[in-house]
Amino acid sequence: MFALLQGFAIGLFLSCPVWFLLGMYNPRVAVPHRPDQPPRRWQVLLRYWFIVPFIAFLIWLTSLWGGWGPSLAGWLLGLGALAVEVPLESRWRRFRARWQERRRERAREAEALKARARLEQQEREAGLAVLDPNRPPVDADAVVLGLCEAKGRLLTQHRPDLAVQADRLYSRYAHVGAVLADKFQPGELAHQRAAGLAAEVCRNATDQLNTMASLLRGVAGVDGEYVQRRLSRDGGKLSTEEREALHRRLALLEDTERRLRTLSGRNEAAVTALDDAAASIARLRTEPSQASVAADQALRELGRFMDQAQRYDRGERV
């Protein structure tokens, strides 16, 4: 064993000049490095003039007490050790660099999610919450995801005036959740019951938004402006059948708009119901009272005390 170590130390020491010359010609060949940190020639000098010879000297020094006589196998292992170690260390450095980059990326994503959650919370508190169909809120549940999808379908049909109802429903739903969290514990039956009812109202409103999108998709191919131009410009030149067909198209658009107004009114009723629920829950007194007597009684007792306190006023002494 000691003969192997002695041979290994001598072979490692003798391989240093060869690797030094290779490193002076191309440092990337002789020095383990990361892709974003190319090696320098001073690193070659430090590595093969000081570090590796010192390691070889320590191995040789610790194997002396076992006797002399380095083995040929040790020589060969020492000569080829750097040819194995340099690529392995380079691969390890690249792996470590990728792992650190992924770790930093995850940290940046987590920080971005926290910042986005704080911004969404501030927007909800200010009443400016706006849903992005492509980027749902961080804490979105099934109800909010459904609203996002419905809003995206309405925006696809170029009806932002109807899609804004999803934002209003989302802000009310989030407000009801915040009021419930302030008044009740999550495990309480009242909290679960109220939250379930609010979610059910939003689900019904989401169904109505999806129905709106389906109605709009059904008449997407009907150009109302074109029909109006044809009737106003060429009304006298059109045949009876063509005029009736154009009027049927207009009737179809008017019927669709009437249904949209009906569904929109139902959604407004849902928004009002959520506002009423938030106001009713906010009026509840769920926290224990800190006063031992009622407010009116306390005011009466304080007035009575002040009246009696004047008896102790003896005036100023001369």
Side-chain angles (χ1 to χ4, degrees):
M1 180 63 183
F2 293 106
L4 182 67
L5 289 176
Q6 290 179 15
F8 178 82
I10 296 172
L12 182 63
F13 182 80
L14 294 178
S15 65
C16 288
V18 178
W19 284 94
F20 173 75
L21 294 176
L22 289 175
M24 287 291 105
Y25 176 73
N26 186 3
R28 293 178 177 272
V29 177
V31 178
H33 62 281
R34 291 166 47 174
D36 57 336
Q37 296 179 354
R40 299 291 184 266
R41 286 184 171 81
W42 66 266
Q43 293 175 316
V44 177
L45 179 65
L46 179 65
R47 183 180 180 88
Y48 296 107
W49 274 85
F50 296 100
I51 298 178
V52 178
F54 181 71
I55 294 174
F57 174 74
L58 288 180
I59 296 175
W60 174 77
L61 189 65
T62 54
S63 61
L64 282 179
W65 68 283
W68 292 90
S71 65
L72 178 61
W75 276 68
L76 296 176
L77 288 176
L79 291 173
L82 292 176
V84 177
E85 187 273 337
V86 172
L88 288 178
E89 187 176 351
S90 297
R91 186 173 298 179
W92 163 252
R93 288 175 182 266
R94 289 193 295 269
F95 169 77
R96 185 174 177 83
R98 290 193 299 268
W99 178 76
Q100 291 177 347
E101 181 62 27
R102 288 195 296 267
R103 185 177 180 182
R104 287 192 294 267
E105 184 66 23
R106 288 194 295 268
R108 287 193 295 266
E109 291 177 357
E111 185 63 28
L113 286 176
K114 291 180 181 178
R116 183 182 166 195
R118 289 194 296 267
L119 180 60
E120 291 172 353
Q121 180 66 26
Q122 294 174 0
E123 290 178 349
R124 287 196 296 266
E125 292 175 354
L128 302 175
V130 177
L131 289 174
D132 186 353
N134 297 322
R135 295 180 60 191
V138 178
D139 55 348
D141 55 7
V143 174
V144 178
L145 292 177
L147 289 173
C148 284
E149 183 179 356
K151 181 181 179 180
R153 295 183 62 187
L154 289 172
L155 291 177
T156 303
Q157 300 301 325
H158 308 289
R159 292 300 298 266
D161 56 323
L162 298 177
V164 72
Q165 287 189 340
D167 298 330
R168 300 177 63 189
L169 287 165
Y170 166 61
S171 62
R172 267 53 172 201
Y173 176 69
H175 180 60
V176 171
V179 174
L180 283 174
D182 184 59
K183 290 295 182 179
F184 301 100
Q185 296 296 327
E188 293 187 42
L189 183 60
H191 182 281
Q192 297 177 0
R193 178 62 175 169
L197 292 175
E200 192 63 30
V201 170
C202 289
R203 291 192 190 97
N204 291 329
T206 303
D207 293 339
Q208 293 166 9
L209 292 174
N210 289 324
T211 303
M212 290 181 182
S214 299
L215 291 173
L216 291 171
R217 186 177 181 182
V219 296
V222 181
D223 191 350
E225 296 180 358
Y226 169 77
V227 175
Q228 291 285 358
R229 286 196 305 267
R230 288 292 307 276
L231 290 174
S232 61
R233 184 184 59 189
D234 304 329
K237 302 177 182 179
L238 297 174
S239 63
T240 304
E241 292 78 6
E242 189 174 1
R243 188 181 300 107
E244 290 179 356
L246 292 176
H247 282 296
R248 282 199 301 271
R249 293 184 193 176
L250 287 179
L252 180 61
L253 291 176
E254 292 175 358
D255 182 67
T256 301
E257 287 296 330
R258 184 172 61 255
R259 293 186 180 183
L260 290 176
R261 288 192 295 270
T262 302
L263 294 173
S264 179
R266 293 177 183 175
N267 285 339
E268 291 298 332
V271 171
T272 304
L274 291 174
D275 288 336
D276 291 340
S280 300
I281 295 171
R283 287 194 294 265
L284 296 177
R285 291 186 56 116
T286 57
E287 64 276 1
S289 177
Q290 298 181 4
S292 58
V293 296
D296 295 339
Q297 181 181 354
L299 291 175
R300 289 195 300 269
E301 294 293 338
L302 180 61
R304 189 179 299 110
F305 173 78
M306 295 302 298
D307 292 339
Q308 296 178 359
Q310 294 179 0
R311 301 178 182 178
Y312 298 94
D313 186 9
R314 300 179 179 178
E316 295 184 358
R317 295 182 179 181
V318 181

